Amino acid sequence: MPPKDQGGSDSRFFTTQKKGELHELRTELHSTDRNIKVDAVKKVIASMTVGKDVSGLFTDVLNCAQTGNIELKKLVYLYLINYAKSQPELTLLAVNTFVKDANDRNPLIRALAVRTMGCIRVDRITEYLCEPLGRALRDDDPYVRKTAAVCVAKLYDIAPELVQERGFIETLHDLISDSNPSVVANGVAALSEIAETSGRDVMKISASVLQKLLAALNECTEWGQVFILDSLAKYVPGDAREAEGIIERVTPRLQHANSAVVMSAVKVILSYMDVMAAGGGANAENIRALTRKLAPPLVTLLNSEPEIQYVALRNINLIVQKRPSILENEIKVFFCKYNDPIYVKMEKLEIIIKLVSEKNIDQVLLELKEYATEVDVDFVRKSVSAIGRCAVKLERAAERCIGVLLELIQTKVNYVVQESVIVIKDIFRRYPNRYESIIATLCDNLDTLDEPQARASMIWIIGEYAERIDNADELLETFLETFEEEDPTVQLQLLTATVKCFLKNPEETQDMVQRVLDLATEESDNPDLRDRGFIYWRLLSTDPEAAKLVVLGDKPVIEDDTFRLEPNLLNVLVGQIATLSSIYHKPPEAFVVRAKRSPTSDVMGMDDDEEDIEGDEEEYEDENDVNNGGGGDLLDMGGLSVNDNTPASANGDGMGDLFGGGGGISAAPEARMSKVCTPEKSGGIELWAGFRQVGGAVKLELDIRNVSSNVPISNLAIQLNKNAFGFSPASQQIICNPPITMGASGKQTVELVNNPNMLVQAPAGQPASPQIQVAVKNMATGLVFYFAANFAFEALFSSDGALDRAAFIQSWKSIDDQKELFSTVSDLPPSSTDIDQVAAKFQRYNIFLIARRPVPNAVGQEVAYFSMKTTTGMIFMAELTFKKGVNAAKVCVKTEKIAFGIQAKVALETLLRSP
């Protein structure tokens, strides 16, 4: 048996599993023996920690706060912080204790009381916090002052208007002049947090403040140094001389044991070096001296634990792109060790490629060749790829790189050969008509290629140099045997290579090119392949000379992408060194999703308290399966009687009058079509569906394709299940005139009208389902089939949705912040990063721009406000935040109809992502 716990460890509090424990704990909490009471509270905390509900002991634990024992008081306050949100009324009972403790003679208790009140996020508690907090900020004891400084930032997060009214921000500025360096550091940390939250420059570093920060830098704790250094990095020196002076004071931090302090110091020095460089050539020698000083601390970071190494390497990756000269002579420290984790090895390879030069290429090639014999397949592939990238980067070393690749190919290791073929294709594209002598070696290894990218690369080489390969047509024939089973990338490359081969040698390859064009245009379902096949076919059949100019024309050589980050983005990321941005290599707004808003701020930027919005990204599930929609018995379509002989849209919604007065219709946005029904489910009919609005009416667009039905499609009946929008078809009959025979297709439009009997209310607190379930009956065959399509919510927006500015502001302020939805949309096309273009695109969908404004103290950021109104009267307002040079946007949607809020947000995201 294990030895019995003698009471020296608190782990014993986690092992009790007795029944009736709460009653026993309540008795112990009321004990007059202090030790029993302390142990009882520890048991309560232990139960709370492992997830047990001990909120029933709230008043009993609260009574224990009336003690002078600081250990017991800490435990009670920990319990209060945890349960304050679920028991806000009872938490108010502790206010007197907090106020009393805030005046205690013991500074530890005073600080504990203020800190606990700041952590309890209950609005009514904050009212009582202000007085004790104001006293604590001016307390004689520095421990109390530094605790109170952090508490101001917490209070600003809960009630920013209180912080401004009470002048706490000005008090924080006073703390920067405090005699205690820890108080200074916490004051800086609090002001930085408030600046981050509000989007305003509340730090306001002046010449006197600057000197106080630099003085505190030498004396405060390591994390205090990080806060001060981060603040200095945001400060812009007046001239090169001032920048040099600050750097001189910061440079000793490069020798600090804490890696966070080192990286923050590097960030300050790099940002100030730009100021020095702008001063002209007079500072060139000083910049070179700083460059030499930065290398040793960065190299030292690589002797840390693997996790710290990885973070350091990601930051170094940015630094060498900004200033390669810093580490140009240190490439050996980035050579991989046998016991490095794979993620460290991969990052080292990236930096090796960035630092490789004609001086060190030989030792780098020896190292990479060694890596190519390792056992980790991903690392080997990356190493082989690195050799190719060195060749693309260094023209004079390209031949040596190719020699190494040929040696690796001779090893006959499958994945090495395949990766070598891929990178050799890139070398050919970089240096055309220079290294074709190695093609024979590549052709000898044709049988070993089984990966799509490698096969596509080899096919490109054969097609590009067909005139220099005697049996090029035979080599392509071997690939054609499995054309239909190949990956789409291989098929596309095979089509192009065959056409190239035909244009260079038409007599011997005519049958082959005809066969490939037939396969691409008649046998393939891939639209890209079909389209390219038709283009080549028409080029070859109408103007072979034009085909030669298009297919065989000179192509631009590929560029070296070693330093691939845009300069503007690189500058942003270097300014974010030692943060997550420098690890993700993305600006903060591309991945940070937080909501920080002052309820008193003006939504249109009319006062200076406007705060930036970043929101929690809402998940939106696309359910395209009727069986998962809970529809049950959708419709009894078997007995459907269609008495209405007026077709829903015999001519595609009146499009026969296209050149008459139908200007409004022709200007309506096209529906986004998606496949909703396959031939296997519907008797040989394939259906594509989409929604759009035309002339104020919502339309269901159908693309009907007869894939394999011998019976022409002439008459269909349609019905909708009950849905969140109350839609039903204006007419249940769809007449196809002319009938759609096998292999043909036709487009039909069904007008949807609002029917109260078809409306399904969303469950309380749940979003409305976007899914519309549809049943279709083929009247010729009697077959009924079902499909589900997600409604395009933008099709519901009406043309009278533009609110005037005053109404927008009033509506925005009147809606509770709980009814906001946030997301960050990344990878946007260029047209969706310019507000003018976005507004023009949105207006086509009745989404109207109300106002726009720059974000204060955030260079390059701009906010646009939009309004929209549905045909059923629901109003939605949106705030979109853009940053110059970043292909992402933050979206905030606010509405009283929160059940449909997600759909409005998804509609905006979809339109932003569209070209």
Side-chain angles (χ1 to χ4, degrees), residues 499 502-503 513 517 535-544 547:
V499 172
F502 170 74
L503 291 171
V513 78
L517 290 172
I535 290 170
Y536 285 155
W537 201 322
R538 288 170 185 169
L539 274 172
L540 294 171
S541 60
T542 55
D543 192 344

Side-chain angles (χ1 to χ4, degrees), residues 97-117:
T97 303
F98 291 140
V99 173
K100 179 182 174 184
D101 285 351
N103 291 309
D104 197 275
R105 294 174 58 187
N106 188 336
L108 294 177
I109 292 180
R110 294 202 300 273
L112 179 63
V114 172
R115 181 173 61 198
T116 305
M117 290 179 78

Side-chain angles (χ1 to χ4, degrees), residues 273-303:
M273 283 170 73
D274 289 341
V275 177
M276 293 173 66
N283 297 309
E285 184 58 39
N286 291 334
I287 291 175
R288 279 194 291 272
L290 284 172
T291 298
R292 289 192 295 271
K293 288 181 180 179
L294 285 175
L298 292 174
V299 170
T300 303
L301 290 175
L302 299 182
N303 296 323

Side-chain angles (χ1 to χ4, degrees), residues 817-832:
D817 286 353
Q818 299 297 320
K819 296 180 179 178
E820 290 182 355
L821 299 168
F822 304 93
S823 68
T824 298
V825 192
S826 54
D827 299 324
L828 297 180
S831 62
S832 291

